Amino acid sequence: MEEKNKLYLRWGRLTAFVFLCLIDIAALAVLRSYFLLMSILVLGFFAAFDLYEFHMIGRRMEKDIRLSQNSIKKGQETEICVVIHQAGGFPVLNCRVALEMNNTFWDRNSEMMVSMPVRSRAESVFRLPIKIDVLGRVVVTAGPIRLRDALGIFETEISGKISEEIVVMPEDGEEYTEDILSYLGAMSEAEESHEKGNDYSEVSDIREYIPGDKLRDIHWKLSAKQDSWMVKERVSMSGSRMMLVVEMTEDPREAEQALEKAYHVVQAFIKRNISVGLLIWNGRDHQFDEYICNEKNDLMKALADVYRIPILMRVEEHLVQRLKNLYPFMETYLCITRDHTQLQVVMRKNV
């Protein structure tokens, strides 16, 4: 859509300029000075040139936003650059740009006005260092540009918006190592117990683990004695990936802590070449958003998508019942939940 410019007249400045010209003319009539005559001509020429150039500036000016990084860690500093391209031959001393930052995950907005001079026939950059201390997807939007001419008589607004995104990921921190082996073993035993009598497969060989192998086929006792995972190779195999459910609360800080915990837990499984299915409730669509994480890049994309919906839309009071209804064939799953003030990772049966 073509941007439309709005022109405003600043009556106070215009009155002062006219008054100055009238004084100059009166002094010329009394003193008959060539200097006063020249000053009147210069003021008139400058005012005409200023008005013409100011009218053309709106057609020759463009704005842009540049980010030093599109993805950062929580608490990491980054830089937002507001860039103004000015092709006109006259500088602008007073250029203001409305800047808005919206965290879609926290559902929070902040606004500011950036004021900067703009050079003629050049690119002018305003650098704004920021530090984001919460997770989320921050949409940075540069709104309308407001300009004033050199005399301060006219002001124009160049409409239009342009946006960029910053995705804030959890800090890496220490690797999560608690009970990974026991979680895998418990899930495998539960699956084998459920399928007992229905699975007629036989173990034909034992080999090292290959990414994509099923959890139920890991030889736990032998793996504990070896430096790598050992897998029972069957003639006919069946199984499932590790499923991780994140239970969000209405408290934004607690919800953020749960998501950070999920990030570290999933990373721990990925480092062991275990595929993880991440389940997070989506109150907007009334279903679980499911993300398959086979590598770290999958996890980063999953969190970036989770951030697109506010925290309150991720809260579900009857989460356990929803899982039973929507995933009736899922036997067990890991759940990140909060017991009073303590955040826990527990294994649950979907019954």
Side-chain angles (χ1 to χ4, degrees), residues 175-178 180-181 184 209 229 266-275:
E175 182 182 353
Y176 181 86
T177 56
E178 302 176 20
I180 292 294
L181 189 63
L184 293 172
Y209 179 87
W229 302 102
V266 173
Q267 268 200 317
F269 281 108
I270 290 174
K271 286 182 179 179
R272 290 162 177 79
N273 294 319
I274 304 296
S275 178

Side-chain angles (χ1 to χ4, degrees), residues 12 34 43 73 181 298 307 332 340:
Y34 284 106
L43 282 175
K73 298 293 182 182
L181 189 63
D298 296 333
Y307 295 153
T332 58
H340 301 294

Side-chain angles (χ1 to χ4, degrees), residues 231-246:
V231 175
K232 294 177 284 186
E233 195 168 58
R234 301 172 183 266
V235 175
S236 174
M237 295 186 291
S238 61
S240 63
R241 62 172 50 90
M242 175 63 72
M243 302 302 294
L244 177 65
V245 178
V246 183

Side-chain angles (χ1 to χ4, degrees), residues 25-47:
I25 292 172
L28 175 64
V30 174
L31 300 175
R32 303 290 180 174
S33 169
Y34 284 106
F35 175 77
L36 291 174
L37 178 61
M38 288 298 297
S39 66
I40 292 174
L41 293 176
V42 168
L43 282 175
F45 174 78
F46 186 77

Side-chain angles (χ1 to χ4, degrees), residues 156-167:
T156 186
E157 181 179 284
I158 305 173
S159 60
K161 295 182 178 181
I162 185 169
S163 300
E164 288 288 344
E165 295 181 6
I166 304 174
V167 178

Side-chain angles (χ1 to χ4, degrees), residues 75 86 133 145 170 175 177 205 219 224 229 242 261 290:
Q86 215 270 86
D133 293 319
I145 302 175
E175 182 182 353
T177 56
D205 196 7
H219 196 304
W229 302 102
M242 175 63 72
K261 192 75 168 182
E290 183 174 348

Side-chain angles (χ1 to χ4, degrees), residues 2 11 278 330 333:
E2 185 179 352
W11 289 102
L278 185 63
M330 182 173 66
Y333 60 89

